[in-house]
Amino acid sequence: MDPYVIQMSSNSNLPSVLDVHVNIGGRSSLLGKMKGRKARWSVKPSDMSNKTFNPIRAIVDSMKVKPNPDKTMIALSIGDPTVFGNLPTDPEITQAMKDALDSGKYNGYAPSIGYLSSREEIASYYHRPEAPLEAKDVILTSGCSQAIELCLAVLANPGQNILVPRPGFSLYRTLAESMGIEVKLYNLLPEKSWEIDLKQLESLIDEKTACLIVNNPSNPCGSVFSKSHLQKILAVAARQCVPILADEIYGDMVFSDSKFEPLATLSRNVPILSCGGLAKRWLVPGWRLGWILIHDRRDIFGNEIRDGLVKLSQRILGPCTIVQGALKSILHRTPQEFYHNTLSFLKSNADLCYGALAAIPGLQPVRPSGAMYLMVGIEMEHFPEFENDVEFTERLVAEQSVHCLPATCFEYPNFFRVVITVPKVMMLEACSRIQEFCELHYHCAEGSQEECDK
């Protein structure tokens, strides 16, 4: 008999079942039978799932306190601007989606990196003379989170490290560690409006450093880097030959006294993958459309990184086609008034919150310049009942039904983060409750009674 023959028995009693045998070198064995393997159930989670850890979920889920039943819960913890209904997206944006759906043109698969026409729209929208873009420089993704994931996956191997801000968005660590990538934390300085400690940052770089993540404007800080500070960051990257992953999801969401500078417009030498999306500026986080902009004017990434991103995008076949179909209208028909009104509301709430919390003994808020957040320092020596920021925010929930995220979630203890997207009346009420809570628990530190008596 031929050594590679597949024999199929034709048992008439079982017409729908094929008995497949493989004869190799004259020896027959049942396909799938493995010598020496004792069959038994042993289904365990993968190493990747075991290494996936979300610090926010871990901390929030471990908080066992219940809110005060006599006070309505005010959640200043959720980074979703749509939660309270006070920040709806613009009708033009909604109509663009309806039109795309009604057209019937976007019901099938798109290329994994997105429709060419949609990528052309993004390239045109974000093109700058100092940082030109073409469709080939754009990868569309399922939200900005997937954009970040693809960038990390294409730039870093297990055993390498990435540089991540502290305080910083927790997803960077969650994604990196699930891939076996080490996270090194560089410090942001609250006394300098959360600028980077550049000397400490540069000291972390070694031969295994795969990329530097720069988040501007910042979650959780609400800070916006100046042009001169961004140039200093780029100088470090250029000197050390480290590419940058620029998380710019809050790009252009800056208050009137600040200016957002896209990082890629400030350097011809440093290769940059810039991540963005519709979620925050257009107030549609659930629509899950993000993008990667590839800035590589010196061809340092070359074809390899571009090809790698395309290959990685093929794992889930790209973002929602209907949103892609609506993209042209979203980018070109959304009125400037919509952007202006959103930013005016956020700045008003930020000023209100900052002013109220700055007047409370024991709290040290840092004034934000953009995004949707504000960070507040807790002078823990004045609150000896609480061991740390987690206990402080737990008790705030239990007594006042105000939920803020402890900044331990962002690797920065003894602070908490406030989301400033809530309606004004809720922000006023929340600040009033925080004041009541702090006044109840505040104690003069040893040797500062004279200050307390003022």
Side-chain angles (χ1 to χ4, degrees):
M1 183 181 284
D2 188 282
Y4 299 98
V5 175
I6 297 180
Q7 298 176 323
M8 294 180 287
S9 65
S10 54
N11 188 327
S12 59
N13 294 325
L14 298 169
S16 61
V17 178
L18 292 177
D19 238 354
V20 183
H21 292 74
V22 179
N23 187 307
I24 301 176
R27 289 175 296 176
S28 179
S29 61
L30 186 65
L31 188 67
K33 185 176 181 181
M34 297 172 63
K35 267 190 173 180
R37 179 180 184 271
K38 185 178 180 181
R40 68 183 188 281
W41 290 109
S42 180
V43 184
K44 296 179 181 178
S46 67
D47 289 344
M48 185 177 188
S49 68
N50 283 332
K51 287 187 288 190
T52 300
F53 173 78
N54 186 324
I56 293 181
R57 286 266 54 88
I59 291 169
V60 171
D61 291 349
S62 69
M63 294 171 75
K64 304 299 183 186
V65 297
K66 293 181 179 179
N68 184 336
D70 298 326
K71 297 191 176 189
T72 305
M73 185 68 174
I74 301 176
L76 304 179
S77 56
I78 305 167
D80 180 348
T82 72
V83 166
F84 297 99
N86 60 311
L87 287 173
T89 194
D90 191 81
E92 288 283 0
I93 298 171
T94 308
Q95 189 60 49
M97 279 289 276
K98 292 176 181 177
D99 292 345
L101 182 62
D102 290 342
S103 75
K105 296 178 181 177
Y106 305 106
N107 296 331
Y109 288 121
S112 64
I113 58 174
Y115 289 121
L116 174 60
S117 59
S118 302
R119 291 185 287 118
E120 286 173 339
E121 292 298 335
I122 290 292
S124 173
Y125 191 81
Y126 286 101
H127 174 93
R128 301 289 184 276
E130 314 90 334
L133 286 168
E134 300 175 33
K136 67 181 178 63
D137 303 316
V138 178
I139 307 278
L140 297 184
T141 61
S142 182
C144 189
S145 297
Q146 197 213 2
I148 294 166
E149 180 183 29
L150 295 187
C151 290
L152 291 178
V154 82
L155 292 175
N157 282 311
Q160 289 188 287
N161 64 70
I162 61 169
L163 308 179
V164 171
R166 174 173 53 199
F169 185 36
S170 61
L171 186 70
Y172 307 141
R173 178 183 285 280
T174 300
L175 293 173
E177 291 187 344
S178 73
M179 301 179 203
I181 300 163
E182 181 190 356
V183 170
K184 289 188 172 184
L185 300 170
Y186 65 83
N187 294 327
L188 306 181
L189 304 170
E191 67 275 14
K192 293 188 175 181
S193 298
W194 301 111
E195 286 189 345
I196 296 173
D197 183 338
L198 295 167
K199 189 173 181 181
Q200 185 257 349
L201 164 67
E202 193 159 9
S203 73
L204 298 174
I205 298 172
D206 60 23
E207 69 282 353
K208 291 186 177 181
T209 300
C211 79
L212 161 63
I213 295 181
V214 178
N215 177 209
N216 180 54
S218 165
N219 174 14
C221 301
S223 54
V224 180
F225 292 148
S226 67
K227 182 176 181 179
S228 63
H229 189 61
L230 289 170
Q231 288 169 330
K232 292 173 184 176
I233 297 167
L234 286 162
V236 172
R239 190 161 54 243
Q240 298 293 341
C241 298
V242 175
I244 291 178
L245 191 171
D247 180 357
E248 298 181 326
I249 185 64
Y250 295 98
D252 293 312
M253 289 188 75
V254 298
F255 305 151
S256 53
D257 49 356
S258 298
K259 184 183 178 186
F260 168 65
E261 303 276 358
L263 192 60
T265 62
L266 304 179
S267 173
R268 296 183 58 86
N269 301 321
V270 178
I272 296 169
L273 298 179
S274 172
C275 298
L278 291 181
K280 303 304 168 74
R281 191 177 184 215
W282 287 270
L283 304 178
V284 286
W287 290 11
R288 309 313 300 142
L289 184 73
W291 48 77
I292 302 167
L293 308 180
I294 304 169
H295 296 280
D296 186 29
R297 275 163 288 168
R298 286 190 57 196
D299 203 32
I300 293 167
F301 285 148
N303 289 331
E304 290 183 324
I305 295 298
R306 291 174 184 271
D307 291 347
L309 285 169
V310 172
K311 291 174 186 176
L312 289 166
S313 75
Q314 291 167 350
R315 296 196 300 172
I316 69 162
L317 297 182
C320 176
T321 52
I322 297 169
V323 188
Q324 291 186 58
L327 192 56
K328 181 177 181 178
S329 294
I330 290 172
L331 296 177
H332 296 290
R333 286 179 16 197
T334 302
Q336 288 300 314
E337 184 184 17
F338 166 74
Y339 304 124
H340 173 78
N341 290 345
T342 302
L343 289 176
S344 293
F345 171 81
L346 292 174
K347 185 176 189 326
S348 174
N349 252 13
D351 289 344
L352 184 159
C353 182
Y354 175 82
L357 299 185
I360 300 174
L363 297 186
Q364 292 286 342
V366 182
R367 186 185 291 276
S369 299
M372 310 186 315
Y373 313 101
L374 177 149
M375 286 278 276
V376 184
I378 311 166
E379 296 174 345
M380 295 305 300
E381 69 273 17
H382 291 298
F383 300 98
E385 292 172 69
F386 312 124
E387 189 174 327
N388 51 41
D389 56 304
V390 177
E391 284 192 11
F392 182 97
T393 52
E394 278 183 338
R395 288 284 290 279
L396 184 58
V397 171
E399 296 179 21
Q400 297 291 342
S401 295
V402 174
H403 188 195
C404 301
L405 276 187
T408 292
C409 293
F410 310 106
E411 317 267 5
Y412 211 78
N414 301 335
F415 274 72
F416 62 88
R417 186 191 75 172
V418 174
V419 175
I420 57 173
T421 57
V422 301
K424 182 178 179 180
V425 64
M426 291 178 69
M427 181 60 75
L428 285 166
E429 174 64 18
C431 289
S432 174
R433 293 187 197 177
I434 292 171
Q435 179 178 357
E436 183 180 323
F437 175 82
C438 289
E439 287 175 351
L440 180 63
H441 296 286
Y442 183 90
H443 293 272
C444 288
E446 219 173 295
S448 62
Q449 186 61 47
E450 185 179 315
E451 185 180 329
C452 291
D453 290 339
K454 287 181 181 177

